[in-house]
Amino acid sequence: MASDEDMKSRELQIIQLEKQGILEFENHLAKKQITEGNSLLLAQVMHMDPKGIARRPPSQVLEQLTNLNKVLGLGHMLCRSRSPDFLLDIIQRQGTSQSMPWLAELVNSAEGSLDVLPVQCLCEFLLHDNQEFTFGASQSDEGKRKQKIHKQEQLLSRLQTLVWGDDAQPQVTCEVLDYFLRRLSSQQPSSGQLAAKGLSMVLTKPTEDDDELSDQDDDSMDTDETHSLLCASLLASHRWLLKAMPSLPHFDAVRGAATSALRGACQVETDPRALSAYVVFLSLHAPVSDLNDLAVDLAQLIVERPTIVGCVLPRESYSEMADMTLAAMIRLFSRHLQKALKTQDEGYSWSDTQDQIFLHWASGESAQMHILVVHAMVILLTYGEPRVESDFSILLNAWFPENSPPPSAYLVDTSEEALLLPDWLKLRMIRSNVSSLVDAALQDLEPAQLVLFIQSFGIPVASMSKLLAHLDAAVQQEPQAMEQAVVDKGYMAQLVEVQQMRGATGGKEFHKLLTQEEEDVKEVPKIKEDDVEMKTEELVKKDGSLVKKEPDADVDWQAVIKKVFETGPTSRLENGQAFRQLQQQMLTDIQKLRKTQGSHPGKFNDILSALSSIISTMGIDKFGAALLAYQQFAVPLFSILLAREDILKKSHRPSDGHLLNIVNALIGSMATHTGQLVSTLHRCQQSLSSTQTTAPVEKNLGELSKPGTAKEKRRELIKQVVREVKKTNVKEADLENACRELLANDSDQLEYLLDACMTRQCTAAGNSRTGEAKLRIQMMTRLLHHQQQDPQHVSHVKKEDVKKEDEPKQLPSSKRLLSSTAGLLIDWLALLDPEVTQACPDLQQEVMFASAMSSSSRDKMAECSESKRPGSAYLLALLTHQASWYTLHRCIDQLLGRNRVDKRLNATAVLDFLWACIHIPKIWQGRDAKASKRHSEENILCLTPDQLCAVADYIVNEAESEQQKEVKVEGSYATIEARLSLLLNCCHGNTVGLDQLVRYMNKCGSNTESARSPMYQQLLLELYLQVPESIQSIPGGSLAIQPNVSSNVPSSVDGLSHRLLSVLADCKVGNDNRQRVDDANVACRKLAAAHPVVMIRQLSMIGVLLQGRIHLNFREFKARGHLGFFHHILGIFDLLEPTLFDQDSQSLHAVLEAYFQLLQRYGAPKRFLDTLVKKFIKLLYRYTCHSPTKAQPLMQQYASVLSSLTQVHPDLLQLKSLLAGITLTGTSKDQSGASMKAAPIATSTMDDIPGVGSREDTYSPVPGSLPSDTTWEPEDIVPYAERLSKESDLEEIANTLSDLEETSFKNPDILQHFVTELSRLLTSPHKDCRQQAFTLVIRYIRHDPSVASKFLPAYLDTLNSDVQEVIQTALKNLPEFTLLCQEHAELILQRAFSVGVNSKLDSVPLIAETMQLLSMDSSTTAAAATSK
């Protein structure tokens, strides 16, 4: 519906147009000029358009309506009308959310009409009066004000009766409250405040006093569980919502509308108190059916409106209202989560909603919900647990359970794993005071994320301590990654120091990494030699003086340690002095241990004995508490003790195990504590345990490597290794031997053992680029290669023990085991070596590219040559997408190297890898989505010529495998066609490589002894059709293509030949079309001579173009140019021989039948058909000589036509020979079962026909040199040759050339006898002779383009001539000669340009014209390719 402003503007436009029309009409009637000032009709006339838009009546009409309303009361009568209800219809059209002050005026003027007016009118009047009183309406008239107050009281009483009365109806109650509730979500704050005030007035019970109601409410709050969740401040401001509304008689009918209205109000409300009241009400009374939508709306409020939420929820200072609001929100989301949870048996339907996620818990429960809802729940958890009763623990255990992993999230639309906790949410979790949230946020963080989080503000000290501890752990595991993640090390070091000044612990390893100290990563704290020297001469303050204190020889270390950790009244200075004495002694012993390679024990044994004695006397719990109280002393103490154990380990000195016992006891007493001390003790336990358990691990792995171990014993050994490997490292050689044995006997346990060992190894190593990681990669690769060599190892079932009927059932199980084990090995390889081919390139490439060979079928090469190894496709994908370009090129160089004819490599895998390298998405990022028309393909791989030949070998290998598998040639040809695009992409812009590739394939295809020769020929044909110029690099050009090879792949030259033939067949009257047809004929002949294979591909099209022409009478047939088209086709066929006769006989016979039908239709006696008949008979004769078996059915079918031709052309010996062959074959077949007595009659009858023998079932005319109508005898040639040899008589030569021009007009073949004379006359000094010689040469080349190269030397001599007239004649014919000899166009144009530079002749225009002609020809080819 259009707004009022739109209607008014449109009305103004119509009024202006109407004024112009009225003034024009009035000017037409009047005799003087009429304007708006003197017009008489403007105020009286308007357009009569009853169905037009509503128009505002004139002012006088409005005055009349006002007077009539006062007299008759029309407005009151219309308002009282209930059928139809005009007033309610207006209200519903305008909407209840908009202010309608006119309703208030209507109600105010309606005396005694409250019962008949709709409740919406009453509600609007109540709001309007409140607005006037609120915003200071005029109070000058006391009587009027009292009247309004009385009207308001009357109206309020009516509304309260409709809501609270005994006769209250649910529908009326809903209408009253809905009118106010919808205003709460108004964009104007004043409107929402008025609605809240109106609701407060209406929902107050009319029969009770306010004090009594307040007392009753307060009393009932103590007994009602619901009101125990409310606070006094909320009840004071929103009693109407939290207390009165739930007490309505028909609250259940209003509940849904109230929930919907308050949901909308929460999205726009800016008053924190009102928003809290809305949330509390929704948490108490929202229907279960609305929980999903309510959760989404509330989540949008929490996530997208952080400012207002920060005012509502608890902050640093406690607020009962904020605490109550938080509990209400948590309760809402808890109800929603319980509703959304489903068991695993219940399924979920697919959805295309991108914001929905599917959640799955480890307990088997699952749910589907909006991602904002999940984020909102986590945000609420960050505020901490409310002081009032809430479902905080339920929500916390649901998302962050203690003894199980958090739920997994998946996108509903794509089933991909979803990111449940983004970085911004993890940062918010870290800033919270909830310990479990901080721990969950710090799990599985990358170094870059840790560095980012530590730079954030607002993180509590406890959370910062945990973050620094994770940074220290990351430094130990991935030091290089941490260094790369830090941009400004100086700033980051200062930041760590500031956090430690705040009271945060940890971060020492990270700080030392930032300051680039050369320390051992595993020792904390690191010990410097300077510090040791300083400690040995430490100054101790005693009696106010400073003296040097040397280490005591005999010291009671038990007393010193007790002094360090004494918690009595001693001062911290005394504790520090005792610790410095202890530390000084230990550091001195550390230095001696390093110098003596562990042979000097020092006082360490005494200190360890003292610690054991203290633990036995004080008790482990009490001593552990003392250590926790003085962690600043305990952590360095145990770190130095661990450093001593490391020195002993490196020196191969045995450890007594006292320190390990002490650490184990302390860890048991501190099971519930965390901190730096506990972390140090765990690190000591891990290091000491690995030292103690190295030998058992190696022993158990050695037992596993032995063949013949019992299954139960083997599994017990594996369990021991898995337990022990958590504390120590494993040698790759021992693990590999054990895995090989398990691969052959127990592959299920192999995965268990390998997973445990590799997890430990990777966790301990940290950096995947170390030497140990390289050894692990090599081990995994060897295992995978060993498994792929003989997959039968997996089944561990002997072949002779398997029955034939059971054999098919064994194979699927073996394959599943093989794939599972291979998948595990490949996953570890991908983790350790992301580029796949870095550690051991040769072996890894063999794993990816070698063909899988089964030991049971090694004699069946065809079946196994294309079988892929398990996991090779995944490894190839990793190599393609993760490896650098240098790695990919190195791999390509190895695959396409000199040893390219390697049958072990899978050709399909190699070719797929090359194709994937070309189409890597990262290469094409930033390119134009739609390439331009002039865009050419890029040579991405930049292969060498030898590598291109290797690609061709792989294509042929793949085709050979397909042929052996399908036992069909079509399978290999289809493979070659599919790989053609890859080969073309590798050849783009590489002319040298393309030439060498063509020569190589021609050489391989010419080897008839090889079974792969046809495939090389097929590949050469496919490449030639796509790049025709490539064939020039081999001798013979296109003639080197085998005639029996064909292709179904379309090429750009097909479009050119199709267009030329279409122009040639377009028979229209006119000189322009005749010239177009002549040019097309020359082009077709040139194409047939240079590329016969391309023209023969259009043989079927030629047969179609010859159809539909002989229905005309002969005069029209000749006049429309159809006869010329038939002549042109015969001329083209003449150039295609003998390749034409080796093609499909069906397409060729279709063309020949068109000529037979032409002769049948018009008859042979026509004089205009003589030349056509002779050419056609000559073509048939050559066809029958070349392929007699193919020609026999056609000749027999049209024997009557040939017989009729003998009456018109009795001298054609080729025709007689054809008929003789037909008669011989027919007679032989007729007499095949008869008596031999009749044979002499037939023989004597055919003896007069030359060349006829007694062959049967073979049709062939008489071979020999039969005279032709187009062949000149020597006696015909000699006169012309003698006349042309008279060099002195130029006039005679000119006349002879004129005679030759007339004679060769219809028979250009005669010029073949004068090639030498014409070449010589091109440089003749006589202008006429020279020009006529050029004319005859060009005519002959146009007739037979294959002879152009014979005249090329003579033409180049004309350009090198010293006579300018000769050069001018040559330049004049430059465009046409270059176009006919365009395979040598570059040489000709270079010579012409040199002539223009060295002489005074201007050759630029002629060169430009030539370039234009060549460009038009190439654009025609491109256009044809584009249209295709």
Side-chain angles (χ1 to χ4, degrees), residues 1316 1318-1324 1330 1334 1350-1368 1370-1371 1377 1387-1388 1391-1392 1395:
T1316 305
L1318 292 177
S1319 300
R1320 176 175 53 82
L1321 292 174
L1322 291 179
T1323 57
S1324 173
R1330 189 171 61 251
F1334 268 103
K1350 297 180 181 180
F1351 295 98
L1352 179 62
Y1355 183 78
L1356 295 177
D1357 291 339
T1358 59
L1359 293 176
N1360 293 332
S1361 176
D1362 296 332
V1363 183
Q1364 288 195 354
E1365 289 79 4
V1366 176
I1367 299 176
Q1368 288 178 349
L1371 291 176
F1377 186 86
L1387 177 60
I1388 297 173
R1391 190 66 58 84
V1395 169

Side-chain angles (χ1 to χ4, degrees), residues 259 262-267 275-276 278-280 282-283 286 290-306 308-309 312-313 325-334 336 370 372-377 379-380:
T259 302
L262 292 177
R263 279 170 43 202
C266 288
Q267 302 300 323
L275 185 58
S276 298
Y278 296 161
V279 172
V280 171
L282 291 173
S283 68
D290 294 346
L291 280 179
N292 293 337
D293 296 335
L294 177 58
V296 175
D297 292 342
L298 196 59
Q300 290 179 350
L301 170 67
I302 296 172
V303 177
E304 298 177 0
R305 300 185 65 195
I308 186 66
V309 172
V312 172
L313 295 181
T325 306
L326 177 61
M329 288 184 176
I330 293 176
R331 183 165 54 254
L332 269 174
F333 283 113
S334 176
H336 170 67
H370 201 281
L372 284 182
V373 176
V374 180
H375 292 169
M377 292 186 192
I379 291 174
L380 292 179

Side-chain angles (χ1 to χ4, degrees), residues 42 139 202 226 303 525 536 776 838 858 955 1007 1151 1237:
L42 281 178
Q139 300 180 7
V202 172
T226 301
V303 177
T536 56
R776 290 193 297 274
Q838 291 293 335
R858 294 184 185 275
I955 294 175
N1007 186 10
V1151 178
K1237 296 181 180 179

